[in-house]
Amino acid sequence: MPLARSLSITSLSGLEEWDEEFDLEDAVLFEIAWEVANKVGGIYTVIQTKARLTAEEWGENYFLVGPYVESNVRTQVELIEPTNPALKRAIDKMNSSGCKVYFGRWLIEGSPYVVLIDVAFTAWNLDKWKKELWDNFSIGVPWFDREANDAVLFGFLTAWLLGEYAAQCEEPPHILAHFHEWLAGLGLALCRQRQLPVATIFTTHATLLGRYLCAGSVDFYNNLADFNVDKEAGDRQIYHRYCLERTAARCAHVFTTVSQITAVEAEHLLKRKPDIITPNGLNVKKFSAMHEFQNLHAQSKNRIQEFIRGHFYGHLDFNLDKCLFLFIAGRYEFSNKGADIFLEALARLNYLLRVNHSDVTVVAFFIMPARTNNFNVETLKGQAVRKQLWDTAQTVKERFGKKLYESLLVGQLPDVSKMLSKDDFTMMKRAIFATQRQCQPPICTHNMLEDSNDPILTCIRRIGLFNSSADRVKVIFHPEFLSSTSPLLPMDYEEFVRGCHLGVFPSYYEPWGYTPAECTVMGIPSISTNLSGFGCFMEEHIADPSAYGIYILDRRYRGVDESCNQLTSYLFQFCQQSRRARIIQRNRTERLSDLLDWRYLGRYYISARHMALAKAFPDTYFYQPHDSDTAQGFRYPRPASVPPSPSLSRHSSPRQSEAEEDDDRYDEDAEAEKDRLNIRQPLTLPSKKGPALPYTLPGANGERNGAASVKN
């Protein structure tokens, strides 16, 4: 089915203009999520990266609410006394009533205030609150679902906090509460049921039922209208969770999702069309390295090459300078994340590279956490052998250098035959013999607990990619999050991404897609799909995404085999690019980072908040929705030279080899300036720390598409 636009479109030029008199001085924002100061999923990244922008807008009246997890609080939160008098009285009242509520600053960019609730401390209320949940909403939660039990406790406690805060305010408050995902959604429903003076927003980052259905290998998107949602949720034993999510979506003043593809899904599964799309952004400053990002790529690539030298010792029969590093990363959902189609495409790519006698070698990394018990001994041995070879080479080099120095001191040219002693040759021969290997380089870097049933390893056995010398495609499965303290691959995720050449994310179910977004702001090309929020967003805003290193795979209107062939074609074309072409493509990719900056995408959250305040407090706030038909989409133009195979690249690009000279001229500065003219510079957001400033995004013809203001 076609992807129809929602009420508010996801176009940078289509967001409505707000009147500068929209006063937030008397309003208080509570943002509630299970991932506040608690890294358990991708929503943590949303909350963490958006906090600075929101704190600038709301100042002292912005509070994040999450669960108290002692191990996280010790390292991430500075506990202090509440600064807001009404909130302090509310927290003291709850603590005196048998709760444990903490207040502090989250030590991230923006240093927002956090209210952390100890859910386990009030578990004695669980049965009473479950009964109240059944009496008021007819939702029953089974005793064995610990996550749902936590959601019940967290929901009732957050509703208690908001109600107590409203009661402690001296004047009628204007409270805005933004709830993320089903784990926090019960608090929203309780606020509406208790008729608290709270404007509510509910954001679903991925529907529960959608994720379960896609994992079951169903034709999800072509059958959205036909699913019996109650039966499907019941069959998967998540009916109570589904009810909590659907109740929150239906009760909220404003319902939002992170992408247009998820909006279609939510409309059918949660039975409510989202009011606005709120795409996820990033703090581009954190990832941007100005003109140094090409140098950072080279440095990180060298570190990955060192790992490859150890991993493939004894079988290092390929040229590392002509080796491309591809990767897929994320939650271990074999089909939803597209690992199945990626492996099949790698097998076909291997065949194409071999029959075309290509000298390019592809190393594909799978960074997906799975159940393991330790590092693979053979993998650790490889890194030890590499280090031993390096130490041997350094020892021989020092001896050679000393003899050369002494010879030159006496004014004689050295006798090369006497520069290396027999001991040196013996040492080098022993090092060479140590690199002999009787087995193939390992595929998995760890010992898997369920090796025989693991989806990735099972698929690799079927397609026959065993890292043999004849294979032009090598596979490395790293079933653990990357860490700079790892003895195997000591790199943080950001460093690793910078060192790779291409991120591959052929997801079937991806409501947004932070992994390709992170690639983009670091200047690394990526492959996404038209079933991911990121892919749809880029298709809408870029006239020719592939020219900017954003390849969009069609998984919506093509079968699996056709999509696999298309992915194989993208990979093969990428392998045929010259080194200079890849450099220019990285420059173009990095210039798209402004599209993903919270300074732009945060405006959709601003729009949702204004809409909620106007709905909940119509006597104080006024909101006039714009006409979505009059808002024009924003198209980032095709670059001047396509394909990216220029002869001249300046400033941030490493010097290319003379063998790659051609007659095409490419002026990076001129093209970058054209790109900068096609995306508006971020405007100043209103801040409580100073006078409110206008912030507008005019429509395609400069007209105002909507307005909001405070009634006099």
Side-chain angles (χ1 to χ4, degrees):
M1 65 184 67
L3 296 182
R5 286 186 180 274
S6 184
L7 171 64
S8 68
I9 63 170
T10 56
S11 297
L12 294 180
S13 58
L15 190 63
E16 56 264 43
E17 178 181 307
W18 295 99
D19 193 291
E20 63 179 295
E21 294 181 359
F22 197 96
D23 187 12
L24 299 175
E25 194 64 36
D26 297 327
V28 177
L29 172 61
F30 289 89
E31 192 158 7
I32 300 147
W34 189 258
E35 288 79 4
V36 170
N38 182 34
K39 189 172 184 178
V40 293
I43 303 171
Y44 175 89
T45 305
V46 179
I47 303 295
Q48 182 195 41
T49 56
K50 185 171 61 65
R52 178 181 61 83
L53 187 79
T54 311
E56 288 176 1
E57 181 192 359
W58 288 79
E60 296 289 305
N61 289 353
Y62 175 50
F63 304 98
L64 287 159
V65 181
Y68 177 84
V69 181
E70 187 172 356
S71 58
N72 295 333
V73 171
R74 286 177 178 175
T75 57
Q76 299 183 41
V77 178
E78 176 191 8
L79 296 177
I80 60 175
E81 284 294 314
T83 55
N84 184 299
L87 184 59
K88 185 179 189 307
R89 291 193 295 270
I91 292 176
D92 290 342
K93 183 72 177 297
M94 290 183 67
N95 285 337
S96 65
S97 301
C99 301
K100 271 194 177 180
V101 183
Y102 301 85
F103 185 87
R105 280 194 181 274
W106 192 2
L107 302 180
I108 58 173
E109 195 172 356
S111 300
Y113 292 127
V114 290
V115 179
L116 302 177
I117 304 173
D118 193 335
V119 173
F121 192 77
T122 52
W124 52 274
N125 278 315
L126 182 60
D127 290 338
K128 181 181 73 172
W129 286 343
K130 278 188 178 182
K131 182 180 184 302
E132 186 176 340
L133 178 63
W134 174 258
D135 292 339
N136 293 325
F137 299 97
S138 299
I139 299 175
V141 176
W143 64 270
F144 55 81
D145 191 340
R146 182 173 179 177
E147 196 171 18
N149 289 335
D150 286 343
V152 172
L153 293 168
F154 188 57
F156 273 88
L157 287 166
T158 52
W160 187 353
L161 174 70
L162 294 173
E164 196 63 54
Y165 175 79
Q168 295 295 335
C169 289
E170 296 176 355
E171 298 181 0
H174 296 138
I175 303 172
L176 176 59
H178 190 157
F179 298 81
H180 292 267
E181 281 296 299
W182 72 275
L183 279 163
L186 179 56
L188 185 153
L190 289 168
C191 287
R192 298 305 304 277
Q193 185 263 332
R194 296 173 181 177
Q195 298 182 348
L196 299 179
V198 178
T200 57
I201 304 173
F202 181 67
T203 297
T204 180
H205 297 258
T207 68
L208 268 172
L209 188 55
R211 190 180 296 280
Y212 274 83
L213 287 170
C214 286
S217 301
V218 300
D219 189 2
F220 180 66
Y221 291 98
N222 291 321
N223 293 287
L224 268 174
D226 302 326
F227 288 119
N228 182 337
V229 291
D230 294 315
K231 179 180 183 302
E232 296 291 347
D235 290 345
R236 288 159 178 78
Q237 299 184 21
I238 59 165
Y239 185 67
H240 54 290
R241 297 187 180 195
Y242 167 74
C243 288
L244 291 173
E245 181 181 40
R246 182 169 167 177
T247 301
R250 298 295 296 275
C251 289
H253 288 104
V254 174
F255 175 44
T256 79
T257 61
V258 296
S259 64
Q260 191 65 49
I261 192 75
T262 312
V264 176
E265 174 188 341
E267 186 176 357
H268 288 89
L269 300 186
L270 300 181
K271 307 304 179 182
R272 178 175 177 181
K273 184 177 181 179
D275 299 290
I276 189 169
I277 308 300
T278 52
N280 292 333
L282 289 163
N283 286 331
V284 173
K285 276 188 177 181
K286 176 183 176 183
F287 296 96
S288 175
M290 304 302 287
H291 296 294
E292 291 296 317
F293 82 96
Q294 293 281 10
N295 294 334
L296 291 177
H297 165 74
Q299 294 169 13
S300 297
K301 183 180 69 174
N302 289 338
R303 297 186 63 182
I304 297 176
Q305 287 178 338
E306 283 301 299
F307 168 79
I308 294 297
R309 289 186 176 99
H311 192 82
F312 288 92
Y313 84 92
H315 295 271
L316 199 63
D317 50 5
F318 50 90
N319 187 351
L320 281 176
D321 290 332
K322 294 185 177 181
C323 184
L324 300 180
F325 301 135
L326 280 54
F327 81 98
I328 182 174
R331 187 184 293 109
Y332 195 178
E333 295 177 2
F334 184 64
S335 299
N336 282 358
K337 295 298 183 183
D340 52 351
I341 194 174
F342 185 30
L343 281 168
E344 183 63 38
L346 287 175
R348 300 180 186 187
L349 175 66
N350 185 49
Y351 171 79
L352 289 176
L353 293 175
R354 290 175 64 176
V355 298
N356 286 279
H357 304 290
S358 174
D359 58 355
V360 172
T361 301
V362 172
V363 177
F365 290 88
F366 287 74
I367 312 296
M368 292 182 161
R371 296 180 62 200
T372 65
N373 60 17
N374 214 328
F375 291 106
N376 186 313
V377 174
E378 188 63 26
T379 306
L380 289 173
K381 179 183 176 183
Q383 299 308 312
V385 169
R386 177 195 61 78
K387 188 177 185 305
Q388 182 185 10
L389 281 173
W390 174 259
D391 292 342
T392 300
Q394 291 298 109
T395 301
V396 173
K397 184 178 74 171
E398 288 177 5
R399 293 177 181 176
F400 184 95
K402 184 178 180 181
K403 292 179 180 179
L404 176 63
Y405 172 68
E406 291 174 349
S407 178
L408 294 176
L409 275 178
V410 297
Q412 296 180 358
L413 290 175
D415 185 350
V416 179
S417 62
K418 297 180 180 179
M419 296 299 290
L420 295 177
S421 65
K422 289 184 178 181
D423 290 341
D424 293 332
F425 279 104
T426 300
M427 185 185 301
M428 289 188 290
K429 287 178 181 179
R430 290 181 61 182
I432 292 173
F433 290 160
T435 63
Q436 294 180 0
R437 199 179 208 168
Q438 304 301 321
C439 61
Q440 300 284 6
I443 290 171
C444 188
T445 59
H446 292 62
N447 296 323
M448 301 292 292
L449 289 180
E450 299 178 358
D451 183 290
S452 59
N453 298 321
D454 183 77
I456 288 179
L457 297 180
T458 301
C459 185
I460 288 174
R461 295 183 188 106
R462 178 180 61 81
I463 61 180
L465 284 179
F466 297 123
N467 293 343
S468 67
S469 298
D471 289 330
R472 299 265 48 83
V473 173
K474 320 288 187 181
V475 178
I476 298 176
F477 179 24
H478 190 279
E480 192 177 78
F481 285 123
L482 295 171
S483 170
S484 58
T485 59
S486 170
L488 194 63
L489 184 55
M491 298 180 73
D492 287 329
Y493 179 73
E494 180 183 339
E495 293 178 274
F496 176 79
V497 172
R498 283 195 184 276
C500 290
H501 296 92
L502 181 70
V504 185
F505 314 103
S507 305
Y508 184 75
Y509 185 79
E510 190 70 78
W512 174 245
Y514 256 124
T515 41
E518 289 167 340
C519 286
T520 301
V521 300
M522 286 189 273
I524 303 301
S526 64
I527 297 177
S528 188
T529 75
N530 58 357
L531 290 180
S532 72
F534 173 84
C536 293
F537 181 84
M538 286 300 183
E539 274 190 320
E540 183 179 359
H541 290 84
I542 306 174
D544 185 4
S546 61
Y548 286 92
I550 309 293
Y551 300 92
I552 310 296
L553 187 66
D554 185 2
R555 295 206 64 181
R556 183 171 177 82
Y557 301 108
R558 296 191 183 194
V560 176
D561 191 61
E562 288 181 283
S563 297
C564 190
N565 284 335
Q566 185 185 18
L567 177 57
T568 305
S569 175
Y570 284 157
L571 296 176
F572 187 61
Q573 291 171 19
F574 188 82
C575 291
Q576 291 179 309
Q577 285 186 354
S578 65
R579 175 176 173 270
R580 185 176 51 216
R582 294 195 302 272
I583 289 170
I584 301 307
Q585 190 176 61
R586 285 197 295 273
N587 287 338
R588 290 177 179 164
T589 302
E590 196 269 344
R591 286 201 295 271
L592 294 180
S593 59
D594 278 345
L595 280 173
L596 301 169
D597 195 334
W598 273 123
R599 291 175 297 170
Y600 287 108
L601 301 183
R603 300 171 188 227
Y604 297 108
Y605 279 89
I606 294 172
S607 178
R609 293 178 198 128
H610 289 182
M611 187 187 300
L613 284 170
K615 286 186 177 182
F617 307 108
D619 295 334
T620 307
Y621 299 96
F622 173 75
Y623 172 81
Q624 180 181 350
H626 65 77
D627 182 1
S628 62
D629 294 332
T630 64
Q632 297 289 323
F634 175 94
R635 296 291 279 178
Y636 216 76
R638 200 166 187 253
S641 57
V642 178
S645 56
S647 62
L648 184 64
S649 84
R650 302 175 179 175
H651 300 310
S652 60
S653 304
R655 189 174 184 276
Q656 66 271 13
S657 64
E658 296 181 0
E660 294 179 351
E661 293 289 341
D662 57 41
D663 295 330
D664 294 335
R665 300 289 293 176
Y666 171 80
D667 191 330
E668 182 183 322
D669 288 339
E671 185 169 299
E673 183 60 30
K674 289 179 182 178
D675 285 346
R676 278 191 286 271
L677 292 174
N678 283 295
I679 184 166
R680 297 174 179 82
Q681 291 299 310
L683 301 178
T684 304
L685 294 175
S687 173
K688 292 224 173 163
K689 299 175 182 176
L693 299 177
Y695 52 108
T696 62
L697 277 174
N701 300 318
E703 74 277 6
R704 178 178 293 192
N705 293 320
S709 63
V710 177
K711 289 184 178 179
N712 294 323

